[in-house]
Amino acid sequence: MTTDEQRAYARHLAAEAVAAGDDTGWFERLYAAANSGDAVVPWADRVANPMLLGWLDTHRPAGTRAAVVGCGLGDDAEHLAALGYETVGFDVAPSAVRAARERFPDSAVTYREVDLLAPPADLAGAFDFVFEAYTVQTLQGDARRAAIARCAQLVAPGGTLLVVARARDEKDPPGRMPWPLTRVELDAFADGPLRPVEVEDLLDTDDDPPVRRWRATFVHS
């Protein structure tokens, strides 16, 4: 399956789920198909996100507790755990959580099945560092707004939220899934006590063609 075919299949599943009123159910269908060898998850590179790695070269969030939103196959969570953080990786897809556990059977990461749109109370304000990459951009409308708010609510006082997402200008068409975030949508992560301290508008040349991305850092006052 080519990269274009992978993305087309994911878009097909997303369109079906959204049409049925289920904003997140397609993730399980995609990961389950990938686990059985019938599909490939187009964003699962089986290495830690280079945007996270580059940021960590010059930043080191204080505290001990970290969370990875939409952890997928677990590479970002494993990297943070290797740095010494008590890490929770969560995903809405049970098949993704199962695959992460199977890939890293001796992991120090706690992998959990969690819907970001309705997270359990014990995750609220529980993390010194929260990493969100590419989850919000797969949602639209009310689901996107709710996901942004829930990400902000995970951050503990004094903690840091790092967001990575495709970027677009307000005047640009929304395009196809994954739908890029505008600056207004990115700024919405600054909810309540969270405030932006660094917003980078980057051209990711690792993609062909290159992709414009946001990498934004927020801190909890």
Side-chain angles (χ1 to χ4, degrees):
M1 184 179 284
T2 68
T3 300
D4 286 343
E5 289 171 337
Q6 295 169 19
R7 291 172 177 165
Y9 181 64
R11 290 182 179 120
H12 169 71
L13 293 181
E16 282 190 340
V18 171
D22 183 356
D23 292 289
T24 61
W26 64 277
F27 290 105
E28 171 56 19
R29 291 182 61 191
L30 179 60
Y31 277 101
N35 287 353
S36 64
D38 296 325
V40 177
V41 180
W43 55 81
D45 296 326
R46 296 179 180 262
V47 293
N49 189 309
M51 289 284 180
L52 171 64
L53 299 181
W55 186 86
L56 288 169
D57 285 341
T58 55
H59 302 75
R60 189 55 56 89
T64 61
R65 301 160 300 169
V68 176
V69 177
C71 66
L73 300 183
D75 296 282
D76 298 327
E78 294 296 323
H79 186 78
L80 292 174
L83 295 178
Y85 292 100
E86 299 172 17
T87 305
V88 173
F90 67 82
D91 203 287
V92 71
S95 292
V97 173
R98 182 167 57 255
R101 289 172 177 162
E102 290 173 354
R103 287 186 70 207
F104 305 104
D106 300 318
S107 177
V109 175
T110 299
Y111 288 106
R112 295 178 58 174
E113 180 187 337
V114 171
D115 184 351
L116 177 62
L117 302 183
D122 67 297
L123 298 186
F127 301 103
D128 303 302
F129 178 56
V130 176
F131 180 50
E132 146 52 13
Y134 311 146
T135 304
V136 169
Q137 68 181 29
T138 63
L139 304 170
Q140 291 183 297
D142 291 342
R144 174 173 287 199
R145 288 185 285 272
I148 289 171
R150 299 298 177 268
C151 284
Q153 291 164 8
L154 298 171
V155 185
T160 300
L161 168 66
L162 176 64
V163 176
V164 174
R166 287 179 178 240
R168 70 177 177 93
D169 291 328
E170 297 289 339
K171 66 179 183 299
D172 294 336
R176 299 181 298 173
M177 194 286 297
W179 299 281
L181 273 64
T182 65
R183 179 59 189 266
V184 170
E185 291 173 318
L186 187 71
D187 288 343
F189 282 93
D191 180 50
L194 278 185
R195 58 184 178 85
V197 295
E198 184 178 30
V199 176
E200 300 172 272
D201 189 344
L202 304 171
L203 189 64
D204 187 352
T205 57
D206 288 338
D207 281 88
D208 184 20
V211 173
R212 182 183 170 200
R213 301 192 194 279
W214 301 117
R215 184 169 63 184
T217 307
F218 302 83
V219 297
H220 190 301
S221 58

